Amino acid sequence: MTIRSPLPFLTATAFASLALASCAVGPGAPDAALPPSASGAFVGAGTPAVTTSAARDDWWRLYDDPALDALIGQALTENNELQAAAANLQAVRATLNETRGGRLPRLTAGASGTWSRASASSIQPGGGAPAGAQDEVETWDAGLDVSYEIDLWGRVAAAVRAARADADATEAALDIVRVSVVAETARAYADACSANARIAVAERTIALQSSTADLTRRLQDAGSGNGLDTARARSALESSRASLPPLRAQRDGALFRLATLTGRTPAEASEAARTCLRPPQLSQPIPVGDGATLLARRPDVRQAERQLAAAAARVNVAVANLYPTISLGASAGSTALDIADLGEEDNFRFSLGPLISWSFVNPGVSRARVERADALSRAALANFDQTVLVALQETETALSDYAHELDRQTALQAARDHAATAARLSRLRFEAGADSFLSVLDAERTLASADAQLAASDALVTTYQIALFKALAGGWNEG
């Protein structure tokens, strides 16, 4: 039901509205406070592998790898997910501009012309016209209407705040995609290089075991060896050869993933990644900053905060919709029975005055709308708090994984060195007849395992470095 009030009352209401315009109703935004312990130094920042210097946006340049730099530049330009996210941002910004239009007067221009004739039966007796007469009438009209909603309850202002927060959240979503694309491009490149390094290790192991198998065969042919030693040597050799196809498949998968990230088909996969021999290496500690700078950098935290602001503004919109809408309107134009008379002074018309409209709906429905908006606002606050905790968790986990894998790598390197020494000595003792072939076989298997574990650890170190850079939100700014 719509109520239209008399003009004097509306005029008084309009002046009161002008005096109280933009007075928002409803609760304010929930408090998005950060935990006090979230802004200090990271728990895992004590390792010498990191420094508390400010984190870098262009972190991939710390690897000093021109091929990696080129691939990330290509991904930032050609990645399809990034292009889609940028298009979504443009759409949301257009919605913001549309919502802002609610603050401006609405102008409507119109012109019409009609030619009409009333039916004979509609002419009332005594109306002055002969029975059965049907008059044909032309009516022409042209005019301009102006209306402006007085934002007494802050509905329009709250809607604009919500739309602006939506645009900010969508911009943060674009930054989230950018962080992910940069990190995944570096990870795919590193995975391809790591697979090549592990393939090289496997090929060296195969070469060593081939030499051992040849030795056992020659000894058997000379009558000083036996078929058991030869069979064992051949078994170890074929086992090592069996490790190559999975490694090559991993390399191809990384290359194809890298091609997709950079907007290319698998047939156009990077040749630099196909031929690189080791994963990218850092020559300096990783700058990580502290918790305060992390939360300021993380686009997912920024997105959650803006989603909270949008939800809070929509509570104000829901509450404001419970109150009447007040508009000031004006109309001017000309109406005539002949198009040539439209401009004559006697045919000029105008109207001016406020209008109040109030839609009365079921009170339960109105209350449910407000409760729904308030519940969504509380959910957005909980999501913000959770996003902050997840950001800290991801960063601390990445720091811990990286530091402990470096320790493991150091131990694996020592183990590999000792295994290489044992394999060399065991072979010399076997050739001198001082030891059995089982000792040689066991030593070479130990060396092959140590080489494979060390190569896998090298790959993990790079993977954990990139995970840490991603947790630090490096790459959302193109650098």
Side-chain angles (χ1 to χ4, degrees):
M1 179 177 66
T2 301
I3 300 176
R4 297 182 183 273
S5 303
L7 182 61
F9 173 76
L10 282 180
T11 304
T13 303
F15 281 117
S17 300
L18 288 171
L20 299 174
S22 300
C23 178
V25 296
D31 183 18
L34 297 175
S37 60
S39 59
F42 295 119
V43 174
T47 173
V50 302
T51 173
T52 56
S53 301
R56 288 181 56 164
D57 291 332
D58 59 343
W59 54 265
W60 57 90
R61 293 195 172 95
L62 294 173
Y63 287 108
D64 195 22
D65 189 328
L68 177 59
D69 294 346
L71 287 167
I72 288 181
Q74 186 176 329
L76 289 171
T77 304
E78 304 294 337
N79 182 269
N80 292 305
E81 289 184 84
L82 269 177
Q83 293 178 0
N88 288 336
L89 177 58
Q90 289 180 333
V92 174
R93 284 176 173 169
T95 300
L96 171 59
N97 291 334
E98 178 184 356
T99 306
R100 282 172 173 163
R103 289 175 166 173
L104 303 175
R106 291 182 288 276
L107 305 177
T108 304
S112 64
T114 60
W115 178 36
S116 62
R117 181 177 67 180
S119 69
S121 62
S122 68
I123 299 177
Q124 299 296 323
Q134 301 182 58
D135 295 335
E136 295 180 354
V137 179
E138 293 183 21
T139 305
W140 300 90
D141 183 82
L144 180 68
D145 297 331
V146 182
S147 65
Y148 175 70
E149 180 181 346
I150 301 173
D151 197 17
L152 177 62
W153 317 112
R155 183 188 67 81
V156 175
V160 171
R161 288 199 308 275
R164 184 183 298 113
D166 284 341
D168 293 341
T170 305
E171 183 176 6
L174 171 61
D175 294 337
I176 291 172
V177 176
R178 185 177 287 116
V179 168
S180 179
V181 166
V182 169
E184 292 308 313
T185 300
R187 194 195 308 274
Y189 174 75
D191 286 349
C193 296
S194 297
N196 283 333
R198 296 174 70 181
I199 289 170
V201 168
E203 289 174 341
R204 288 196 300 271
T205 298
I206 290 170
L208 175 62
Q209 291 177 337
S210 294
S211 174
T212 301
D214 289 341
L215 174 61
T216 58
R217 181 182 53 80
R218 290 194 305 269
L219 290 174
Q220 182 182 4
D221 292 343
S224 59
N226 59 71
L228 179 59
D229 289 346
T230 301
R232 285 170 172 166
R234 295 297 300 179
S235 175
L237 173 61
E238 295 305 324
S239 295
S240 296
R241 283 176 174 165
S243 69
L244 280 176
L247 293 174
R248 288 169 178 157
Q250 291 176 20
R251 178 191 59 194
D252 291 345
L255 290 172
F256 300 153
R257 192 167 76 250
L258 181 60
T260 301
L261 286 162
T262 55
R264 298 292 186 268
T265 65
E268 302 171 294
S270 168
E271 191 60 30
R274 188 185 302 277
T275 58
C276 63
L277 299 178
R278 63 180 304 191
Q281 303 293 309
L282 285 179
S283 59
Q284 57 183 291
I286 296 177
V288 297
D290 56 22
T293 57
L294 168 74
L295 297 177
R297 287 166 54 85
R298 291 268 301 212
D300 56 341
V301 174
R302 180 156 37 93
Q303 179 189 41
E305 188 276 327
R306 298 317 296 156
Q307 288 172 338
L308 172 60
R314 290 191 171 94
V315 175
N316 297 141
V317 172
V319 175
N321 283 334
L322 301 177
Y323 296 88
T325 299
I326 302 171
S327 299
L328 293 177
S331 176
S334 179
T335 304
L337 299 178
D338 190 291
I339 192 171
D341 298 333
L342 279 178
E344 293 185 1
E345 182 178 354
D346 291 343
N347 294 327
F348 177 72
R349 61 171 176 79
F350 74 90
S351 64
L352 176 66
L355 171 69
I356 182 171
S357 62
W358 198 344
S359 296
F360 292 95
V361 297
N362 185 303
V365 173
S366 302
R367 188 164 53 250
R369 289 173 179 170
V370 175
E371 289 175 355
R372 175 181 180 274
D374 181 63
L376 291 175
S377 177
R378 287 184 280 108
L381 176 59
N383 180 65
F384 172 81
D385 291 340
Q386 180 67 8
T387 302
V388 169
L389 295 178
V390 169
L392 295 169
Q393 172 208 324
E394 289 179 352
T395 305
E396 294 288 7
T397 300
L399 281 166
S400 177
D401 288 343
Y402 179 43
H404 288 97
E405 189 58 35
L406 286 176
D407 292 340
R408 177 171 177 266
Q409 185 186 54
T410 300
L412 287 174
Q413 181 64 61
R416 189 269 168 200
D417 292 342
H418 291 309
T421 301
R424 179 177 57 83
L425 293 176
S426 179
R427 188 182 182 91
L428 291 175
R429 288 173 58 83
F430 172 71
E431 291 175 352
D435 214 340
S436 70
F437 177 71
L438 282 176
S439 297
V440 176
L441 188 62
D442 181 65
E444 289 186 350
R445 284 175 175 170
T446 301
L447 175 59
S449 175
D451 279 334
Q453 290 185 64
L454 183 58
S457 179
D458 286 341
L460 268 181
V461 165
T462 305
T463 295
Y464 289 146
Q465 288 171 352
I466 294 171
L468 177 56
F469 285 127
K470 183 179 180 181
L472 295 170
W476 71 266
N477 184 336
E478 294 185 25

